[in-house]
Amino acid sequence: MRKLVGIIALAIATPAAAGAAAAPSPDGLWLNPHHSVAVETAACGDRLCGRIVWANGEAESDAREAGVTNLVGTTLMQDYRPDGTGRWEGTVFVPDMHHSFASIIDQVTPVSLRVRGCILGGLVCSRRRGRGSRRCPVAERWQGRIASLRRIAERYRGWILGGVAVLLLAVALAALDRLTHEVRLADVKAAVAALPPERIALAVGFTALSYLALTFYDVIALTIIGRPLPWRTAATASFTSYTLSHNLGLALLTGGSARYRVYTAAGLDGPDVARIVGLAGATFWIGVFAVTGVALATHEGALVVPGLALGEGMTHALGVVIVVAIAAAFVATLIHRKPIRLLGMTIPLPGPRQFLAQLAIAAADLSCASAALFVLMPSAAPALLPAFVLAYALGIVASVVTHVPGGIGVFEAVVVAVLPGDKAVLLAALVVYRVVYYLAPLVLGILLLALHEGRRQRHAARFLTGIEAAVESVAPTMLAAAAFGGGALLLLSGALPAEHGRLRDLAHVLPLPFIEASHLAASVVGTLLLLLAPGLYRRLDGANLAARILLVAGAVFSLAKGFDYEEAIVCLVIAGLLQWTRAAFYRRTALTQIPVSGGWLVSIATVFAAAMWAGFFAFRHVPYSDDLWWRVALRGGDAPRFLRASLISGILLGAAVTWRLLAPARALPEAAAPDPERLAQALDHAERSDAMLALTGDKRFFWSDDGRAFAMYAVAGDSWAVMGDPVGPQDAWPELLWQLREAAHRVQARLLLYEVSGAVLDLAIGMGLEIVKFGEEAVIDLAEFDLETPRLRSVRKATRALDRKGLSFRIVPAAAQGCIIDELQAVSDAWLAAKGQREKRFSLGRFDRDYLSRFDIAVAMLDGRVVAFANIWATANRGEASFDLMRHSDDAPSGTMDFLFVHLALWAKARGYRRFSLGMAPLSGIADRRLAPAWARLAAFAFRHGERLYGFRGLRAYKDKFAPRWEPRYVAGPSGIGLLLALRDVTRLIGDRNPASAATSVPPIASTRVAYGLALVPAAA
């Protein structure tokens, strides 16, 4: 519709005949701005109407695409009447919408009309006059609000999703509380104590079989992508991934990163790991949907879960639909055998046998996992099995969909709601199941990995291969989970009543105030351990030391608050493991610089909410009164201790969240404006003209110790992006880049070297960075540049044709820009509007008067006015010349930019420059071979098929007309996911209108270029 509205719009129109509108009336024949549609306006009674009497082929073709068969003859303007102020009010008919909308006609001049129209009450409006356009105020306000909301949503996306997860957790806990309102803690304890040991042993056995089946998720995925690995490698990746994601949630952050570390150590790359994660997830969901479908189809009676009630017929129908969908997926594997491409990535599909294997393994996993819970319910009869399987499957689905870490509260609420029977027995079975299926495997994994890591550090000379390197990389993540679990244990212990026998004996040794203080202190320690876990995940040495101290303190307080020696043992074991593996925590930073993401805070909030729920569940029989807060006693003092500990922990967590929201940005090196003389001296040594990006005002500068060289960089998210090669003598580069890497490492930032040349590669490899080819730069050797050569035939022809038309080339010295800067601004604004773009940053300059005042400007002029321009970058040693901004007006003759670049190259050659750069062709020159790395295949695919997004091939082809030499440019950064995150941050940085990292303004510096006068001078001057 938008295209058709553009065709029929009379935003600015002129009479078809010169003398058609001498009187101030809109009667006559009018053309739209593109002269593609003619509308005849005439009186219809006492009103004015208009119909289309002619349209060119393109307009009629576009109209047919919009569903309008006959554009000519359509009445567009209906019932217009004068309003007494020189304007006409009526309606405009939009054919493909079959609706009329209010509009107003202004006759601006005898030969110009302006039509304004608002659609849907002003929410979609257009108003055009001349060549510019602007939206009506209502739309501007709404679009501004929507844009602001989008920016806020993007900036706080993690926090928003975290808030939704916490809200869903609260709903689940409220539902669980309602479902168990008649259950008491003593009933649950009695049910747990009554569980026969053989049933717990069966649960352990089924848990082991389930985790064994989980390892084959990865084995099948590796087979499908054609990268099989030994089973023990796949088992390590699967076991560490699932034990982390089952307990902490944050599947991509914890489980996904664990898989990535294991598989990259085994020789796979990032896209391969992404395929494995996707295929393993598909296997899981195939099994879940298959089991759920069969369970729904065979379920007897209505299905009732919190917030949902389905009749028996609807339940059976839903089950049949799911089963049919699974069958259809199997049939699809028989028909479609070729891999699919998604976002440039080739994703192989399973064959029929592999699909059936996925289904069988997923069903085995879910059967064993559900059996581990089923055997913990002594009263469960075989007849209850279908309902039980359904309840289990729905609980798993609800846990995954809500993103609540570990599904705490959500899984329990669904299972308790669906299954009949004694709620106390069911709740006891769920508690034991949490320990057996979730916590026990996590503890086992932590112990094995920590012991392996400790042994490796004590035999560091031994070469790490395969599984050993994988274990080394995963150990800190598992220990972060262990510390997190230790904190959760202390919080939960503080919420539950103490063992009165132990407490009574302890009172003979310690005074009551000390016991009370120890109870509070243990909860505070638990809260602090939760907050320190992200630091351990990032391998911070300070977090390791603080966690060890807190764990020892937690052990002491556990003994002092109720002689809880079980908790003390757990705390001491975790502290010992952290001590044993302390060398793995090598990053040095202040604890106040630990970044706590929204995902971690959701996990922390989940643990705190679960502990609070457990406390209120345990003390629901205690009537509340204000006196409870101040009651101090051995007997009857459990509920007051819980309230006080919860309050202190809640205040501490609230303070931590507030601090994260309101704290200033992470400490960065000082960003004072550089000394003009020192900056000019460094630029004098620049070999590449893009060193002039140092003058854009959106960079920080990191100087070498001797002040001879600098690297310009900007901060985006957790990334420090260095633009181009360092500037200054090359002998100062190594120490400069190493110091910059160490500075970024101290603040836990990712270092990315962006668009660097081959001169930096050796240094980047020595710094441990991963090298990726980013594209190629087109460089003209000016000594050999001659328009008469056959390769330049097309640009020679276009340039000479424009010479004959009167197009001229001029140089405007920097000192004389004031006389044309307004004209340049108009050309720039028109170019941005025509392209639908906005100014970029970081890797490009922008139209900024202060920035442009530092450079000479090359302009193309026609009939005494500027139709195109480019600012000139030139190195002081005349090694390279180039340009930054290159913009033209809408009415510039075709080939104007070719004309400008040719004359600019000839101008640079005449003044002794050796090279002329035409800039980058991103993703160009990257080989797409079968054995090439995945990033190269992805980049080559984007280069071939990404024309709609960027025009990669077109840009390369355009610059190839000038017969350049193509030189490779690279990106160097952290390996794996870190590189992708850094590139994402740079992309946001380039497109950001107001980057927070733009920390310096560059003062004027003395120009080292030759001035060519103070007025417009011809190119030959």
Side-chain angles (χ1 to χ4, degrees), residues 823-836:
E823 194 171 0
L824 298 182
Q825 178 84 64
V827 171
S828 176
D829 291 346
W831 184 85
L832 289 172
K835 300 293 184 182

Side-chain angles (χ1 to χ4, degrees), residues 332-468:
T333 64
L334 296 172
I335 299 172
H336 188 85
R337 299 292 185 90
K338 295 181 179 180
I340 62 173
R341 284 188 174 269
L342 182 63
L343 300 176
M345 182 183 298
T346 302
I347 302 178
L349 296 178
R353 292 184 178 180
Q354 291 169 332
F355 183 88
L356 292 176
Q358 286 180 299
L359 182 60
I361 289 172
D365 163 42
L366 289 172
S367 298
C368 293
S370 58
L373 176 58
F374 188 76
V375 297
L376 293 173
M377 297 188 300
S379 59
L384 186 62
L385 190 58
F388 176 81
V389 172
L390 176 60
Y392 187 89
L394 292 177
I396 291 293
V397 171
S399 299
V400 175
V401 170
T402 57
H403 294 287
V404 174
I408 295 177
V410 178
F411 177 78
E412 286 80 1
V414 173
V415 172
V416 171
V418 174
L419 289 181
D422 189 339
K423 302 301 183 184
V425 173
L426 185 54
L427 202 56
L430 288 167
V431 170
V432 177
Y433 179 73
R434 277 279 172 190
V435 174
V436 171
Y437 193 83
Y438 288 84
L439 296 180
L442 177 64
V443 171
L444 177 62
I446 290 169
L447 288 173
L448 293 177
L449 289 172
L451 291 174
H452 185 284
E453 176 70 12
R455 285 199 305 269
R456 185 200 66 80
Q457 292 168 8
R458 284 151 182 76
H459 300 85
R462 194 176 70 176
F463 180 72
L464 286 180
T465 58
I467 195 66
E468 294 173 334

Side-chain angles (χ1 to χ4, degrees), residues 903-966:
H903 280 285
L904 191 51
L906 293 172
W907 171 87
K909 178 179 179 179
R911 281 151 184 81
Y913 289 92
R914 297 187 296 275
R915 298 154 38 102
F916 185 79
S917 173
L918 292 170
M920 284 282 298
L923 307 185
S924 170
I926 300 177
D928 183 14
R929 304 283 185 176
R930 184 175 65 87
L931 298 180
W935 66 261
R937 300 198 300 271
L938 177 62
F941 177 85
F943 182 80
R944 292 194 306 271
H945 304 289
E947 287 301 298
R948 292 185 178 181
L949 299 176
Y950 184 81
F952 298 102
R953 299 181 72 177
L955 182 61
R956 164 86 186 213
Y958 175 79
K959 295 182 178 182
D960 234 359
K961 294 191 303 183
F962 298 89
R965 181 180 75 254
W966 291 97

Side-chain angles (χ1 to χ4, degrees), residues 218-229 354:
D218 287 41
V219 171
I220 289 182
L222 288 165
T223 303
I224 293 174
I225 69 172
R227 301 295 298 272
L229 291 174
Q354 291 169 332

Side-chain angles (χ1 to χ4, degrees), residues 444-609:
L444 177 62
I446 290 169
L447 288 173
L448 293 177
L449 289 172
L451 291 174
H452 185 284
E453 176 70 12
R455 285 199 305 269
R456 185 200 66 80
Q457 292 168 8
R458 284 151 182 76
H459 300 85
R462 194 176 70 176
F463 180 72
L464 286 180
T465 58
I467 195 66
E468 294 173 334
V471 168
E472 173 202 3
S473 63
V474 174
T477 304
M478 299 292 282
L479 289 170
F484 189 89
L489 179 62
L490 291 174
L491 272 183
L492 183 61
S493 174
L496 297 176
E499 291 290 336
H500 292 294
R502 297 182 187 180
L503 192 61
R504 186 173 56 252
D505 295 338
L506 187 63
H508 296 301
V509 180
L510 298 176
L512 181 59
F514 192 85
I515 295 174
E516 294 284 350
S518 298
H519 191 279
L520 285 176
S523 296
V524 170
V525 167
T527 305
L528 292 176
L529 284 171
L530 297 181
L531 294 172
L532 275 176
L536 293 172
Y537 176 78
R538 290 175 175 262
R539 303 171 181 248
L540 304 185
D541 62 338
N544 180 280
L545 176 60
R548 280 182 279 151
I549 293 172
L550 287 173
L551 285 163
V552 173
V556 173
F557 293 138
S558 294
L559 295 173
K561 74 181 180 69
F563 200 64
D564 297 324
Y565 60 86
E566 301 92 345
E567 299 164 24
I569 291 174
V570 171
C571 290
L572 291 176
V573 168
I574 298 173
L577 293 176
L578 288 173
Q579 172 68 20
W580 178 259
T581 60
R582 63 188 182 279
F585 300 87
Y586 53 84
R587 284 181 170 168
R588 299 183 180 275
T589 186
L591 290 180
T592 55
Q593 294 297 317
I594 296 177
V596 182
S597 66
W600 276 106
L601 286 178
V602 169
S603 294
I604 294 169
T606 299
V607 169
F608 179 73

Side-chain angles (χ1 to χ4, degrees), residues 229-415:
L229 291 174
W231 175 82
R232 65 173 187 170
T233 302
T236 301
S238 174
F239 184 74
T240 54
S241 173
Y242 286 117
T243 53
L244 287 170
S245 59
H246 281 170
N247 288 277
L248 296 181
L250 310 176
L252 290 179
L253 180 63
T254 55
S257 65
R259 267 199 179 99
Y260 179 84
R261 294 175 187 274
V262 172
Y263 285 131
T264 52
L268 273 61
D269 56 19
D272 282 335
V273 178
R275 295 185 186 100
I276 293 169
V277 172
L279 289 169
T283 302
F284 168 78
W285 283 110
I286 287 172
V288 168
F289 282 123
V291 171
T292 304
V294 172
L296 287 171
T298 58
H299 181 70
E300 296 182 0
L303 174 65
V304 180
V305 294
L308 178 65
L310 295 177
E312 183 175 355
M314 181 62 70
T315 301
H316 290 172
L318 182 59
V320 171
V321 169
I322 295 175
V323 172
V324 170
I326 296 294
F330 173 71
V331 173
T333 64
L334 296 172
I335 299 172
H336 188 85
R337 299 292 185 90
K338 295 181 179 180
I340 62 173
R341 284 188 174 269
L342 182 63
L343 300 176
M345 182 183 298
T346 302
I347 302 178
L349 296 178
R353 292 184 178 180
Q354 291 169 332
F355 183 88
L356 292 176
Q358 286 180 299
L359 182 60
I361 289 172
D365 163 42
L366 289 172
S367 298
C368 293
S370 58
L373 176 58
F374 188 76
V375 297
L376 293 173
M377 297 188 300
S379 59
L384 186 62
L385 190 58
F388 176 81
V389 172
L390 176 60
Y392 187 89
L394 292 177
I396 291 293
V397 171
S399 299
V400 175
V401 170
T402 57
H403 294 287
V404 174
I408 295 177
V410 178
F411 177 78
E412 286 80 1
V414 173
V415 172

